[in-house]
Coordinates of all heavy atoms in Angstrom, one line a residue:
M1 N -21.2 95.7 31.0 CA -21.6 96.7 30.1 C -23.1 96.5 29.7 O -23.5 95.4 29.5 CB -20.7 96.6 28.8 CG -21.1 97.5 27.7 SD -20.3 97.4 26.1 CE -18.6 97.2 26.6
Y2 N -23.7 97.6 29.6 CA -25.1 97.6 29.2 C -25.4 98.6 28.0 O -24.7 99.6 27.9 CB -26.0 98.1 30.4 CG -26.1 97.0 31.5 CD1 -25.2 97.0 32.5 CD2 -27.1 96.1 31.5 CE1 -25.2 96.1 33.5 CE2 -27.1 95.1 32.5 CZ -26.2 95.1 33.5 OH -26.2 94.2 34.5
E3 N -26.3 98.2 27.2 CA -26.7 99.1 26.1 C -28.1 99.5 26.3 O -29.0 98.7 26.6 CB -26.5 98.2 24.8 CG -27.0 99.0 23.6 CD -26.8 98.1 22.3 OE1 -27.6 97.1 22.2 OE2 -25.9 98.4 21.6
T4 N -28.3 100.8 26.0 CA -29.7 101.4 26.0 C -30.0 101.8 24.6 O -29.3 102.6 24.1 CB -29.8 102.5 27.0 OG1 -29.4 102.1 28.3 CG2 -31.2 103.1 27.1
V5 N -31.1 101.3 24.1 CA -31.5 101.7 22.8 C -32.8 102.6 22.9 O -33.8 102.1 23.5 CB -31.8 100.5 21.9 CG1 -32.3 100.9 20.5 CG2 -30.5 99.7 21.7
I6 N -32.7 103.8 22.4 CA -33.9 104.7 22.4 C -34.3 104.9 21.0 O -33.6 105.4 20.2 CB -33.6 106.1 23.1 CG1 -33.0 105.8 24.5 CG2 -34.8 107.0 23.1 CD1 -32.4 107.1 25.1
E7 N -35.5 104.3 20.7 CA -35.9 104.3 19.3 C -37.5 104.2 19.2 O -38.1 103.5 20.0 CB -35.3 103.1 18.6 CG -35.5 102.9 17.2 CD -34.7 101.7 16.7 OE1 -34.9 100.6 17.1 OE2 -33.8 102.0 15.8
D8 N -38.1 105.0 18.3 CA -39.5 104.9 18.1 C -40.3 105.1 19.3 O -41.3 104.4 19.5 CB -39.9 103.6 17.4 CG -39.2 103.5 16.0 OD1 -39.0 104.5 15.3 OD2 -38.9 102.3 15.6
G9 N -39.9 106.0 20.2 CA -40.6 106.3 21.4 C -40.5 105.3 22.5 O -41.2 105.3 23.5
A10 N -39.6 104.3 22.4 CA -39.4 103.3 23.4 C -37.9 103.3 23.8 O -37.0 103.7 23.1 CB -39.8 101.9 22.8
C11 N -37.7 102.8 25.0 CA -36.4 102.7 25.6 C -36.2 101.2 26.1 O -37.0 100.7 26.8 CB -36.2 103.6 26.8 SG -34.6 103.5 27.6
E12 N -35.1 100.6 25.6 CA -34.8 99.2 25.9 C -33.4 99.1 26.5 O -32.5 99.6 25.8 CB -35.0 98.3 24.7 CG -34.7 96.9 25.0 CD -34.7 96.0 23.8 OE1 -35.1 96.5 22.7 OE2 -34.3 94.8 23.9
V13 N -33.2 98.5 27.6 CA -31.9 98.3 28.2 C -31.6 96.8 28.2 O -32.4 96.0 28.6 CB -31.8 98.8 29.7 CG1 -30.5 98.5 30.3 CG2 -32.2 100.3 29.7
R14 N -30.4 96.5 27.7 CA -30.0 95.1 27.7 C -28.5 94.9 28.0 O -27.7 95.9 27.8 CB -30.3 94.4 26.3 CG -29.7 95.2 25.2 CD -30.2 94.6 23.8 NE -29.9 95.5 22.7 CZ -30.7 96.0 21.9 NH1 -32.0 95.7 21.9 NH2 -30.3 96.8 20.9
E15 N -28.2 93.8 28.5 CA -26.8 93.5 28.9 C -26.0 93.2 27.6 O -26.5 92.6 26.7 CB -26.7 92.3 29.8 CG -25.3 92.2 30.5 CD -25.3 91.2 31.6 OE1 -26.3 90.6 31.9 OE2 -24.2 91.0 32.1
G16 N -24.7 93.7 27.6 CA -23.9 93.5 26.4 C -24.0 94.6 25.4 O -24.5 95.7 25.7
R17 N -23.6 94.3 24.2 CA -23.6 95.3 23.1 C -24.1 94.7 21.8 O -23.8 93.6 21.4 CB -22.2 95.9 22.9 CG -22.2 96.9 21.9 CD -20.8 97.6 21.8 NE -20.8 98.5 20.7 CZ -19.8 98.9 20.0 NH1 -18.6 98.5 20.4 NH2 -19.9 99.7 19.0
G18 N -25.0 95.5 21.1 CA -25.5 95.0 19.8 C -24.5 95.3 18.7 O -23.4 95.7 19.0
E19 N -24.9 94.9 17.5 CA -24.0 95.0 16.4 C -23.9 96.5 15.8 O -22.9 96.8 15.2 CB -24.4 94.1 15.3 CG -24.3 92.6 15.7 CD -24.7 91.7 14.6 OE1 -24.8 92.1 13.4 OE2 -24.9 90.5 14.9
A20 N -24.9 97.3 16.0 CA -24.9 98.7 15.5 C -23.9 99.5 16.3 O -23.7 99.4 17.5 CB -26.3 99.3 15.6
E21 N -23.3 100.4 15.5 CA -22.4 101.4 16.2 C -23.2 102.4 16.9 O -24.1 103.0 16.4 CB -21.5 102.1 15.1 CG -20.4 102.9 15.6 CD -19.3 102.0 16.3 OE1 -19.1 100.8 15.9 OE2 -18.7 102.6 17.2
P22 N -22.8 102.6 18.2 CA -23.6 103.6 19.0 C -23.3 105.0 18.6 O -22.2 105.3 18.2 CB -23.1 103.3 20.5 CG -21.8 102.7 20.3 CD -21.8 102.0 19.0
R23 N -24.3 105.9 18.7 CA -24.1 107.3 18.5 C -23.4 108.0 19.6 O -22.6 108.9 19.4 CB -25.5 108.0 18.2 CG -26.1 107.7 16.9 CD -27.3 108.5 16.6 NE -27.2 109.9 16.8 CZ -28.2 110.7 16.9 NH1 -29.4 110.3 16.9 NH2 -28.0 112.0 17.0
V24 N -23.6 107.5 20.8 CA -22.9 108.1 22.0 C -22.7 107.0 23.0 O -23.6 106.1 23.2 CB -23.7 109.3 22.6 CG1 -25.0 108.9 23.2 CG2 -22.9 110.0 23.6
T25 N -21.6 107.0 23.7 CA -21.3 106.1 24.8 C -20.9 106.9 26.0 O -20.1 107.8 25.9 CB -20.1 105.2 24.4 OG1 -20.5 104.4 23.2 CG2 -19.8 104.2 25.5
L26 N -21.6 106.6 27.1 CA -21.3 107.2 28.4 C -20.5 106.2 29.2 O -20.9 105.1 29.4 CB -22.5 107.6 29.2 CG -23.5 108.5 28.4 CD1 -24.7 108.8 29.3 CD2 -22.9 109.8 28.0
V27 N -19.3 106.6 29.7 CA -18.5 105.8 30.5 C -18.3 106.4 31.9 O -17.9 107.5 32.1 CB -17.1 105.6 29.9 CG1 -16.2 104.7 30.7 CG2 -17.2 105.2 28.4
L28 N -18.8 105.6 32.9 CA -18.7 106.0 34.3 C -18.8 104.8 35.2 O -19.3 103.8 34.8 CB -19.8 107.1 34.7 CG -21.2 106.7 34.6 CD1 -22.0 107.7 35.4 CD2 -21.8 106.7 33.2
G29 N -18.4 105.0 36.5 CA -18.4 103.9 37.4 C -19.8 103.7 38.0 O -20.7 104.5 37.8
D30 N -20.0 102.5 38.7 CA -21.3 102.2 39.2 C -21.9 103.2 40.2 O -23.0 103.6 40.1 CB -21.2 100.8 39.9 CG -20.9 99.7 39.0 OD1 -21.0 99.8 37.8 OD2 -20.5 98.6 39.5
A31 N -21.1 103.6 41.1 CA -21.5 104.6 42.1 C -21.8 105.9 41.5 O -22.8 106.6 41.8 CB -20.4 104.8 43.2
D32 N -21.0 106.3 40.5 CA -21.3 107.6 39.8 C -22.6 107.5 39.0 O -23.3 108.5 38.9 CB -20.1 108.0 39.0 CG -18.9 108.5 39.8 OD1 -19.2 109.1 40.9 OD2 -17.8 108.2 39.4
F33 N -22.8 106.4 38.4 CA -24.1 106.2 37.7 C -25.3 106.4 38.6 O -26.2 107.1 38.2 CB -24.1 104.8 37.0 CG -25.4 104.5 36.4 CD1 -25.7 105.0 35.1 CD2 -26.3 103.6 37.0 CE1 -27.0 104.7 34.5 CE2 -27.6 103.4 36.4 CZ -27.9 103.9 35.2
L34 N -25.2 105.8 39.8 CA -26.3 105.9 40.7 C -26.5 107.4 41.1 O -27.6 107.8 41.2 CB -26.1 105.0 41.9 CG -26.2 103.5 41.6 CD1 -25.9 102.7 42.9 CD2 -27.6 103.1 41.2
K35 N -25.4 108.1 41.3 CA -25.5 109.5 41.7 C -26.1 110.3 40.5 O -27.0 111.2 40.8 CB -24.1 110.1 42.0 CG -23.5 109.6 43.3 CD -22.1 110.1 43.5 CE -21.5 109.5 44.7 NZ -20.1 110.0 44.8
L36 N -25.8 110.0 39.3 CA -26.2 110.7 38.1 C -27.7 110.5 38.0 O -28.5 111.4 37.8 CB -25.5 110.2 36.9 CG -25.9 110.9 35.6 CD1 -25.5 112.3 35.6 CD2 -25.1 110.2 34.4
V37 N -28.2 109.2 38.0 CA -29.6 108.9 37.7 C -30.5 109.3 38.8 O -31.7 109.4 38.6 CB -29.8 107.5 37.2 CG1 -29.1 107.2 36.0 CG2 -29.5 106.5 38.3
S38 N -30.0 109.4 40.0 CA -30.8 109.8 41.2 C -30.9 111.3 41.3 O -31.6 111.8 42.2 CB -30.3 109.2 42.5 OG -29.0 109.7 42.8
G39 N -30.1 112.0 40.5 CA -30.2 113.5 40.6 C -29.3 114.0 41.7 O -29.3 115.2 42.0
N40 N -28.4 113.2 42.2 CA -27.5 113.6 43.3 C -26.2 114.1 42.8 O -25.3 114.4 43.7 CB -27.4 112.5 44.3 CG -28.6 112.3 45.1 OD1 -29.2 113.2 45.6 ND2 -29.0 111.0 45.3
S41 N -26.0 114.2 41.6 CA -24.8 114.7 41.0 C -25.1 115.4 39.7 O -26.0 115.0 38.9 CB -23.8 113.6 40.8 OG -22.5 114.1 40.4
S42 N -24.3 116.4 39.4 CA -24.5 117.2 38.1 C -23.7 116.5 37.0 O -22.5 116.3 37.2 CB -24.0 118.6 38.3 OG -23.8 119.2 37.1
P43 N -24.4 116.2 35.9 CA -23.6 115.6 34.8 C -22.5 116.5 34.3 O -21.4 116.1 33.9 CB -24.7 115.4 33.7 CG -25.9 116.1 34.1 CD -25.8 116.4 35.6
V44 N -22.7 117.8 34.3 CA -21.7 118.8 33.9 C -20.5 118.7 34.8 O -19.3 118.6 34.3 CB -22.2 120.2 33.8 CG1 -21.1 121.2 33.5 CG2 -23.3 120.3 32.8
T45 N -20.7 118.7 36.1 CA -19.6 118.6 37.1 C -18.9 117.2 36.9 O -17.7 117.2 36.9 CB -20.2 118.7 38.5 OG1 -20.8 120.0 38.6 CG2 -19.0 118.6 39.5
M46 N -19.7 116.2 36.7 CA -19.1 114.8 36.5 C -18.2 114.8 35.3 O -17.1 114.2 35.3 CB -20.1 113.8 36.5 CG -20.9 113.6 37.8 SD -22.2 112.3 37.7 CE -21.2 110.9 37.7
F47 N -18.7 115.5 34.2 CA -17.9 115.5 33.0 C -16.6 116.3 33.2 O -15.5 115.9 32.8 CB -18.7 116.1 31.9 CG -18.1 116.2 30.5 CD1 -17.9 115.1 29.8 CD2 -17.6 117.4 30.1 CE1 -17.2 115.2 28.5 CE2 -16.9 117.5 28.9 CZ -16.8 116.4 28.1
M48 N -16.7 117.5 33.8 CA -15.6 118.3 34.0 C -14.5 117.7 35.0 O -13.3 118.0 34.8 CB -16.0 119.7 34.5 CG -16.9 120.5 33.6 SD -16.2 120.7 32.0 CE -15.0 122.0 32.3
T49 N -15.0 116.9 35.9 CA -14.0 116.3 36.8 C -13.6 114.9 36.4 O -13.0 114.1 37.1 CB -14.6 116.1 38.2 OG1 -15.9 115.4 38.2 CG2 -14.9 117.5 38.8
R50 N -14.0 114.5 35.1 CA -13.6 113.3 34.5 C -14.2 112.0 35.2 O -13.6 110.9 35.0 CB -12.1 113.2 34.3 CG -11.6 114.3 33.4 CD -10.1 114.2 33.3 NE -9.7 115.4 32.5 CZ -8.9 115.3 31.5 NH1 -8.5 114.2 31.0 NH2 -8.5 116.4 30.9
K51 N -15.3 112.2 35.9 CA -16.0 111.0 36.4 C -17.0 110.5 35.4 O -17.4 109.3 35.5 CB -16.7 111.4 37.7 CG -15.8 111.7 38.8 CD -16.6 112.1 40.1 CE -15.6 112.3 41.2 NZ -16.3 112.6 42.5
L52 N -17.3 111.3 34.4 CA -18.2 110.9 33.3 C -17.4 111.2 32.0 O -17.0 112.3 31.8 CB -19.5 111.7 33.3 CG -20.4 111.6 32.1 CD1 -20.9 110.2 31.9 CD2 -21.5 112.6 32.3
R53 N -17.3 110.1 31.2 CA -16.6 110.3 29.9 C -17.6 110.1 28.8 O -18.4 109.2 28.8 CB -15.5 109.3 29.7 CG -14.6 109.6 28.6 CD -13.3 108.9 28.6 NE -13.4 107.4 28.8 CZ -13.3 106.6 27.7 NH1 -13.0 107.0 26.5 NH2 -13.5 105.3 27.9
V54 N -17.6 111.0 27.8 CA -18.6 110.9 26.6 C -17.7 110.5 25.4 O -16.8 111.2 25.1 CB -19.3 112.2 26.4 CG1 -20.3 112.1 25.2 CG2 -20.1 112.5 27.7
V55 N -18.1 109.5 24.7 CA -17.5 109.1 23.5 C -18.6 109.2 22.4 O -19.6 108.6 22.5 CB -16.9 107.6 23.5 CG1 -16.3 107.2 22.2 CG2 -16.0 107.5 24.7
G56 N -18.3 110.0 21.3 CA -19.3 110.1 20.2 C -19.9 111.4 20.3 O -19.3 112.5 20.5
D57 N -21.2 111.4 20.0 CA -22.0 112.6 19.9 C -22.3 113.3 21.2 O -23.2 113.0 21.9 CB -23.4 112.3 19.2 CG -24.2 113.4 18.8 OD1 -24.0 114.6 19.3 OD2 -25.1 113.2 17.9
V58 N -21.5 114.3 21.5 CA -21.6 115.1 22.8 C -22.9 115.8 22.8 O -23.5 115.9 23.9 CB -20.4 116.0 23.0 CG1 -20.5 116.8 24.3 CG2 -19.1 115.2 23.1
G59 N -23.4 116.3 21.7 CA -24.6 117.1 21.7 C -25.8 116.2 22.0 O -26.7 116.6 22.8
L60 N -25.8 114.9 21.6 CA -26.8 114.0 21.9 C -26.8 113.7 23.4 O -27.8 113.6 24.1 CB -26.7 112.7 21.1 CG -27.6 111.5 21.5 CD1 -29.1 111.9 21.2 CD2 -27.3 110.3 20.6
A61 N -25.6 113.5 23.9 CA -25.4 113.2 25.4 C -25.9 114.3 26.2 O -26.6 114.1 27.2 CB -23.9 113.0 25.7
S62 N -25.7 115.6 25.8 CA -26.2 116.7 26.6 C -27.7 116.8 26.6 O -28.3 117.3 27.5 CB -25.6 118.0 26.1 OG -26.1 118.3 24.8
G63 N -28.4 116.2 25.6 CA -29.8 116.3 25.6 C -30.5 115.1 26.2 O -31.7 115.0 26.3
L64 N -29.8 114.1 26.6 CA -30.4 112.9 27.2 C -31.3 113.1 28.4 O -32.3 112.5 28.5 CB -29.3 111.8 27.6 CG -28.6 111.1 26.4 CD1 -27.5 110.2 26.9 CD2 -29.6 110.3 25.6
P65 N -30.9 114.0 29.3 CA -31.8 114.3 30.5 C -33.2 114.7 30.1 O -34.2 114.4 30.8 CB -31.1 115.3 31.3 CG -29.7 115.2 30.9 CD -29.7 114.8 29.5
R66 N -33.4 115.4 29.0 CA -34.7 115.8 28.5 C -35.6 114.7 28.0 O -36.8 114.8 27.9 CB -34.5 116.9 27.4 CG -34.0 118.2 27.9 CD -34.0 119.2 26.8 NE -33.1 118.9 25.7 CZ -31.8 119.3 25.6 NH1 -31.3 120.1 26.6 NH2 -31.1 119.0 24.6
L67 N -35.0 113.5 27.8 CA -35.7 112.4 27.3 C -36.4 111.6 28.4 O -37.3 110.8 28.1 CB -34.8 111.4 26.5 CG -34.2 112.0 25.2 CD1 -33.3 111.0 24.6 CD2 -35.3 112.4 24.2
F68 N -36.0 111.8 29.6 CA -36.5 111.0 30.7 C -37.0 111.9 31.9 O -36.5 112.9 32.1 CB -35.3 110.1 31.3 CG -34.7 109.2 30.3 CD1 -33.6 109.5 29.6 CD2 -35.4 108.0 30.0 CE1 -33.1 108.7 28.6 CE2 -34.8 107.1 29.1 CZ -33.7 107.5 28.4
D69 N -38.0 111.4 32.6 CA -38.5 112.0 33.8 C -37.9 111.4 34.9 O -38.3 110.3 35.4 CB -40.0 111.9 33.8 CG -40.6 112.6 35.0 OD1 -40.0 113.5 35.6 OD2 -41.8 112.3 35.4
I70 N -36.7 111.9 35.4 CA -36.0 111.3 36.4 C -36.3 111.9 37.8 O -36.1 113.1 38.0 CB -34.4 111.4 36.2 CG1 -34.1 110.8 34.9 CG2 -33.6 110.9 37.3 CD1 -32.7 111.0 34.4
P71 N -36.9 111.1 38.7 CA -37.3 111.7 40.0 C -36.0 112.1 40.8 O -35.0 111.5 40.7 CB -38.0 110.5 40.7 CG -37.6 109.3 40.0 CD -37.2 109.7 38.6
K72 N -36.1 113.1 41.6 CA -35.0 113.6 42.4 C -35.1 112.9 43.8 O -36.2 112.7 44.3 CB -35.1 115.1 42.7 CG -35.1 115.9 41.4 CD -33.7 115.8 40.7 CE -33.7 116.7 39.5 NZ -32.9 116.2 38.5
A73 N -33.9 112.5 44.3 CA -33.9 111.8 45.6 C -33.8 112.8 46.7 O -33.5 113.9 46.6 CB -32.6 110.9 45.6

């Protein structure tokens, strides 16, 4: 499990989980994560086919792609 903290214009990824309650949690397998971040899979399709599960603030989750400049493979 990894935690990504986006705060004050910075993004930090660390192994494990901090003490603060997350606003949103994305649950998906390793291969699906790679497809998602490489642009080789649609997050909407993954969500609808239950390959991606969102726990918490779905609105925040839907806006995450706008926070990052993800290159297409």
Side-chain angles (χ1 to χ4, degrees):
M1 175 187 315
Y2 290 87
E3 175 180 71
T4 303
V5 177
I6 304 168
E7 186 174 60
D8 299 326
C11 178
E12 179 185 352
V13 178
R14 54 186 169 235
E15 193 169 359
R17 182 172 173 205
E19 293 181 19
E21 190 65 30
R23 285 183 55 195
V24 66
T25 301
L26 305 178
V27 181
L28 65 161
D30 296 343
D32 289 323
F33 173 77
L34 291 174
K35 290 177 187 175
L36 180 65
V37 299
S38 66
N40 289 315
S41 189
S42 162
V44 174
T45 301
M46 292 178 77
F47 180 77
M48 298 303 287
T49 58
R50 298 180 187 231
K51 292 182 178 185
L52 168 64
R53 190 166 57 100
V54 178
V55 178
D57 188 341
V58 177
L60 176 61
S62 68
L64 287 175
R66 290 187 294 269
L67 298 177
F68 300 96
D69 182 18
I70 300 172
K72 301 292 182 214

